[in-house]
Amino acid sequence: MSSSRPRRDFPNAEHDHSHCAAHALGQADLICEARGVRLTEIRRRVLEVIWDSHVPIGAYDILAKLNAGGGRSAPMAVYRALDFLIENGLVHRIDSRNAFFGCSHPEEPHRAQFLICNVCSAVAELDSEALHETVRRTARTKGFRVENVVIEASGRCPNCARKSAP
Amino acid sequence: MSSSRPRRDFPNAEHDHSHCAAHALGQADLICEARGVRLTEIRRRVLEVIWDSHVPIGAYDILAKLNAGGGRSAPMAVYRALDFLIENGLVHRIDSRNAFFGCSHPEEPHRAQFLICNVCSAVAELDSEALHETVRRTARTKGFRVENVVIEASGRCPNCARKSAP
DNA sequence: TGCGAAATGTGATATTATAACATACTAAGG
DNA sequence: CCTTAGTATGTTATAATATCACATTTCGCA
Ligand SMILES: [Zn+2]
Ligand SMILES: [Zn+2]
Ligand SMILES: [Zn+2]
Ligand SMILES: [Zn+2]
């Protein structure tokens, strides 16, 4: 019995990321529709920009991409869109990088843990309830009632590990 | 079999924190001496300020306390001291708060995990090799070679949990 | 259409962190 | 002692990240 449900693995070199992005956007539409929340223009564009990047992207980099075509958005617009996207589980924040990353399985709320490559910045999202439970249980032994857990491992992704030290 | 070695628990209300601080400073002197690194004036004062606080403290709050007595230090001085203290395991950075916290057992380098109270900001430091190993092992199944792990749980410390929902 | 709530625009400002270069201190060898 | 190379600190400016406060617009609905 493993409660670990891997969702977004490290991409192989050839994968068509635009396909991932398109799928994610479609999912987002459906999810927001179903929940009765509005994926407005700016929110959708921020989500697009996030998915256009295959690595976590900072708020001001998102802003720059939004404005690349002559736009005039301000930081607040991005942060507000991010608030919405995170609240609705469409995007995750990577605390150790001050950066944002599209969730690949936003249909249901979930715990997430991240593996972040120090070389190429690729991210894999884990969804190990076991890991989360281990933290919760350990905390419990100290009388601590867990509300949220941040787990972010950095290191070498499979691709970069192969290159550096076979 | 538990490889969990709890070190800094949540303090009870009456504990004499100045004693903790004094002990930590003494330890720091010994450790730096033993390692042949210099706990200079500013580094020691930053460590003092960090221990004066019983909760994680931000770099600019450290700066303000340094300068409270008419000092004129600049941010760089604080960040450089923090670099040193972190590198030598005397201080931990709490990524989810952009804040710094004195390590209670710096004698030997170690993995650390943190429990952070959302109400009073109290922190307990865990040192569970088991937890770390679980992350490493889970990552391994995806071909990821872990170099560093951030585990930070937020929630209610025993004191605050008791008050809010018995 | 008109209203209240939600969303966005706008400008200023807060907070956190680093770059670049000058100066001062320290320890070791001659 | 004196030089010198390395370490540490001072100083100024700036980068990067994030929020506040208030005006305006848009949306859903009565
Ligand atoms: Zn996710
Ligand atoms: Zn990589
Ligand atoms: Zn520690
Ligand atoms: Zn508390």
Side-chain angles (χ1 to χ4, degrees):
Chain A
M1 177 222 80
S2 167
S3 63
S4 184
R5 291 180 296 167
R7 305 294 191 100
R8 194 198 307 202
D9 282 359
F10 291 103
N12 58 43
E14 298 86 18
H15 98 288
D16 177 4
H17 190 67
S18 67
H19 172 73
C20 309
H23 180 257
L25 270 288
Q27 283 291 100
D29 285 329
L30 296 175
I31 289 166
C32 291
E33 170 79 31
R35 292 185 192 161
V37 297
R38 293 165 54 207
L39 189 63
T40 58
E41 180 63 18
I42 183 100
R43 290 168 177 173
R44 197 169 201 280
R45 287 209 293 142
V46 167
L47 186 56
E48 267 173 16
V49 168
I50 288 173
W51 273 98
D52 268 352
S53 170
H54 63 298
V55 297
I57 181 172
Y60 278 75
D61 290 339
I62 293 170
L63 182 62
K65 287 206 181 188
L66 278 186
N67 288 343
R72 295 253 160 248
S73 293
M76 268 316 298
V78 172
Y79 281 106
R80 285 198 279 233
L82 287 170
D83 285 346
F84 171 88
L85 295 169
I86 290 169
E87 193 153 299
N88 284 280
L90 299 167
V91 164
H92 293 295
R93 180 191 162 88
I94 312 287
D95 279 333
S96 59
R97 305 275 172 130
N98 296 332
F100 304 88
F101 191 63
C103 177
S104 48
H105 44 101
E107 311 79 43
E108 59 198 50
H110 57 274
R111 328 285 184 184
Q113 304 91 34
F114 302 97
L115 308 179
I116 308 153
C117 181
N118 282 328
V119 178
C120 70
S121 296
V123 171
E125 182 180 340
L126 306 178
D127 181 11
S128 169
E129 188 63 24
L131 208 40
H132 187 269
E133 259 316 302
T134 305
V135 173
R136 179 185 294 275
R137 184 161 22 79
T138 306
R140 193 59 184 260
T141 67
K142 304 186 96 61
F144 188 85
R145 183 189 305 166
V146 169
E147 289 168 356
N148 185 259
V149 180
V150 172
I151 300 183
E152 295 172 10
S154 59
R156 300 288 174 111
C157 78
N159 293 336
C160 296
R162 198 175 322 113
K163 288 171 196 158
S164 59
Chain B
M1 176 223 80
S2 169
S3 62
S4 185
R5 293 179 294 168
R7 306 294 190 99
R8 192 198 310 201
D9 281 358
F10 291 103
N12 58 42
E14 297 86 19
H15 98 288
D16 177 4
H17 190 66
S18 67
H19 172 75
C20 309
H23 180 258
L25 270 288
Q27 284 290 100
D29 285 329
L30 296 175
I31 289 166
C32 290
E33 170 77 33
R35 291 184 192 162
V37 296
R38 295 165 53 205
L39 188 63
T40 58
E41 180 62 17
I42 184 99
R43 290 166 176 173
R44 197 168 200 280
R45 288 208 294 142
V46 167
L47 186 57
E48 267 173 17
V49 169
I50 288 172
W51 274 98
D52 267 353
S53 171
H54 63 297
V55 297
I57 182 172
Y60 279 75
D61 289 338
I62 293 170
L63 182 62
K65 286 206 181 190
L66 277 186
N67 288 344
R72 296 249 161 250
S73 292
M76 270 313 301
V78 172
Y79 281 104
R80 285 198 278 233
L82 286 170
D83 285 347
F84 171 89
L85 295 169
I86 290 170
E87 194 153 299
N88 284 280
L90 300 166
V91 164
H92 293 294
R93 180 192 162 88
I94 312 286
D95 279 334
S96 60
R97 307 272 172 134
N98 297 331
F100 304 88
F101 192 63
C103 177
S104 48
H105 44 102
E107 311 79 42
E108 59 196 52
H110 56 274
R111 327 287 183 182
Q113 304 90 34
F114 302 97
L115 308 179
I116 309 155
C117 181
N118 283 328
V119 177
C120 70
S121 296
V123 171
E125 183 181 341
L126 306 178
D127 181 12
S128 168
E129 188 63 25
L131 210 39
H132 187 269
E133 260 315 301
T134 304
V135 172
R136 180 185 291 276
R137 185 160 22 79
T138 306
R140 193 59 185 260
T141 67
K142 304 186 95 61
F144 188 85
R145 184 190 304 165
V146 169
E147 289 169 357
N148 186 259
V149 179
V150 172
I151 299 183
E152 296 172 9
S154 60
R156 301 287 174 112
C157 78
N159 294 335
C160 296
R162 200 177 318 113
K163 286 171 196 159
S164 57

